[in-house]
Amino acid sequence: EMHEALGLDPCLDPLHSSGLRKFASERDALYEEVNKPSLRQHYIGLHNESTAKRTAAYAAFVCFQRATEGGGRFLVADGAAILAELKTETLEKLYNRQIRISVSNLDIPPTLPGAVKEGIKGLVDVAVAPKFDMDLEMIYESDGKPGRLQAVETAESPINRHPVTGLPVWFSNSHNHARKLRDRRPCGVPEVGMTEVFYADTMKPLDLEDCEEIKRASEKHITALSMEPGDVLLVDNYRALHGRDVFQGDRFHAVTWFTWDQNEAWRGDERRIVEKNAFNQAINQMMDWLPKDFESNQS
């Protein structure tokens, strides 16, 4: 086992508790990547695998089957290089104002009485939000769409110091989550899963100029890798951002996440080992009735 040879400890995906992460092999803590036929034409922008509460230290991305009809290159970029590339005025603006990211949408009839809307908001807050293991605030119409209830993460800085080296890096999912960027590239995500990035002080979406600067600086430093079966790419999740290009045909890639080793100063108080999670297992068992994505004949 690669991770045993390197002395790495597997851990849960940062979004494991949501049930959205499907195991390819639970015994090996191996999760499927986004291989679904419905998301072939969805471009996954640069991001760190993290929430405000959960972040893995490293990831090992492995290719079992490359896209049979082309595409699907793995994208990786150095967060320190992106930080150095960004215009000073843009960086200062985002750092001072901080950002908030909405992670899901629920569209309800805008004409419903206020009491009913508040009841729905409370129900979602209690029943759904805790499954994502994030600090989420339920907010109506942040993006201006009448009746839309959005789950929004807490304010965060787009800059982080690497917990081991102390190096400042761009540590933000804005390139992937900003709606103005998603709407201008291939995107197969349904509206319920569409994200948005807001200035934390006003809850207004990032303006186009800032989005374009994030795009320019991020994509200048992308390395696109055409992985072959058996290839494994070990990524420092605190230093590098990753993504995936669109693809055609069938594709099967997977990933294992790793936590810090025994150095207490590096990992703090939290040590997340792989353990069973009832909600995740229930979702996975339901998904097991579906055909494996890499065996699918759908077009």
Side-chain angles (χ1 to χ4, degrees):
E1 293 284 351
M2 182 207 72
H3 67 269
E4 293 175 347
L6 295 177
L8 298 174
D9 297 323
C11 70
L12 300 178
D13 185 291
L15 287 178
H16 175 91
S17 61
S18 70
L20 298 175
R21 296 296 194 253
K22 178 174 170 55
F23 275 124
S25 171
E26 184 173 359
R27 178 181 63 84
D28 299 314
L30 190 68
Y31 291 88
E32 288 190 20
E33 282 191 50
V34 184
N35 304 305
K36 300 182 184 302
S38 61
L39 295 176
R40 289 168 177 160
Q41 295 304 301
H42 173 62
Y43 177 96
I44 302 175
L46 293 178
H47 61 286
N48 303 93
E49 207 70 27
S50 67
T51 71
K53 296 177 67 174
R54 301 284 188 189
T55 304
Y58 307 102
F61 295 92
V62 58
C63 172
F64 291 108
Q65 177 181 301
R66 62 180 300 175
T68 56
E69 298 177 27
R73 293 181 302 172
F74 186 83
L75 310 178
V76 64
D78 181 5
I82 295 173
L83 182 67
E85 181 71 31
L86 283 161
K87 293 179 180 178
T88 302
E89 56 268 29
T90 303
L91 201 56
E92 184 176 7
K93 177 181 179 181
L94 296 174
Y95 178 78
N96 289 333
R97 300 181 66 175
Q98 297 194 307
I99 62 172
R100 297 184 69 177
I101 297 175
S102 67
V103 296
S104 66
N105 308 306
L106 177 62
D107 291 329
I108 64 174
T111 55
L112 287 178
V116 175
K117 292 171 68 175
E118 287 303 308
I120 295 173
K121 175 181 175 180
L123 179 63
V124 173
D125 194 25
V126 171
V128 178
K131 302 301 183 183
F132 288 86
D133 199 15
M134 303 179 192
D135 289 325
L136 295 173
E137 181 181 4
M138 302 300 140
I139 304 176
Y140 274 109
E141 304 175 2
S142 293
D143 63 356
K145 183 175 176 57
R148 171 161 291 181
L149 179 62
Q150 294 182 287
V152 185
E153 293 186 13
T154 54
E156 56 194 44
S157 171
I159 303 172
N160 187 39
R161 283 190 179 274
H162 193 285
V164 179
T165 67
L167 182 71
V169 298
W170 177 254
F171 191 82
S172 173
N173 294 346
S174 300
H175 181 261
N176 184 49
H177 289 342
R179 186 68 186 253
K180 291 183 177 67
L181 296 181
R182 278 196 160 189
D183 285 346
R184 288 166 170 78
R185 63 192 181 210
C187 182
V189 174
E191 199 62 34
V192 66
M194 287 297 286
T195 54
E196 181 59 286
V197 183
F198 302 91
Y199 300 109
D201 55 354
T202 62
M203 280 306 294
K204 300 295 184 184
L206 264 59
D207 60 40
L208 183 58
E209 182 180 2
D210 288 341
C211 288
E212 288 179 338
E213 174 59 11
I214 291 171
K215 180 180 185 297
R216 182 198 67 81
S218 298
E219 296 180 5
K220 180 176 180 179
H221 295 281
I222 285 178
T223 297
L225 303 172
S226 297
M227 297 177 68
E228 298 290 340
D231 287 349
V232 179
L233 180 66
L234 185 63
V235 173
D236 182 339
N237 191 49
Y238 277 96
R239 173 69 184 263
L241 298 89
H242 63 277
R244 191 218 68 198
D245 205 349
V246 300
F247 67 96
Q248 295 77 41
D250 299 318
R251 174 187 187 269
F252 187 58
H253 287 220
V255 59
T256 293
W257 299 99
F258 303 102
T259 189
W260 297 117
D261 63 12
Q262 299 298 322
N263 190 323
E264 294 287 343
W266 289 6
R267 63 178 172 81
D269 297 329
E270 183 184 20
R271 182 175 181 81
R272 295 187 295 120
I273 60 173
V274 175
E275 57 187 16
K276 293 179 185 285
N277 177 285
F279 188 79
N280 182 281
Q281 286 189 323
I283 296 294
N284 288 340
Q285 288 173 2
M286 178 184 70
M287 294 178 68
D288 282 339
W289 287 95
L290 303 175
K292 294 290 185 182
D293 295 338
F294 60 97
E295 298 173 353
S296 172
N297 292 319
Q298 300 180 49
S299 58

